[in-house]
Amino acid sequence: PDVALSSDFIAGFCGETEEEHEDTVSLMDQVAYDQAFMFAYSMRGKTHAHRTMEDDVPQAIKMARLNEIIHTFRTRVQERNEATEVGRLRL
């Protein structure tokens, strides 16, 4: 129907496992979000995570996971656009 879905995605949050990351990618693939705000986790002062959690996911892994999330999002958007917009005239 005429509904657009959007969400925020943070790659490499404290303690994130490879399985949790794969669940995120799978969710993105199944839902095919119309908009997504995607970031690698970074510790911010004066937050609950800063006070109580360890930033234990290496930066290289965060960036690799973020790149996979971005790729998944872009692929699904491209597929949807090709299926619904190519050949359609909009005035």
Side-chain angles (χ1 to χ4, degrees):
D2 295 325
V3 173
L5 297 175
S6 176
S7 190
D8 295 356
F9 296 91
I10 300 172
F13 185 76
C14 304
E16 180 185 63
T17 65
E18 185 61 31
E19 181 180 10
E20 290 168 333
H21 168 69
E22 290 170 6
D23 286 347
T24 299
V25 173
S26 176
L27 176 71
M28 292 182 77
D29 195 42
Q30 290 176 28
V31 172
Y33 290 92
D34 297 282
Q35 180 67 42
F37 300 92
M38 302 161 281
F39 307 92
Y41 176 74
S42 60
M43 189 68 77
R44 292 202 172 94
K46 298 183 182 180
T47 64
H48 177 74
H50 184 260
R51 291 188 304 274
T52 63
M53 304 175 107
E54 179 184 351
D55 186 6
D56 58 354
V57 178
Q59 187 66 24
I61 292 175
K62 289 178 189 178
M63 296 311 296
R65 290 177 180 175
L66 176 60
N67 287 332
E68 186 175 6
I69 287 170
I70 291 169
H71 174 76
T72 301
F73 172 74
R74 287 182 176 170
T75 298
R76 296 297 280 147
V77 167
Q78 182 70 31
E79 290 170 354
R80 184 177 52 251
N81 286 344
E82 288 173 0
T84 61
E85 297 297 328
V86 172
R88 186 173 180 179
L89 178 63
R90 292 199 180 257
L91 299 175

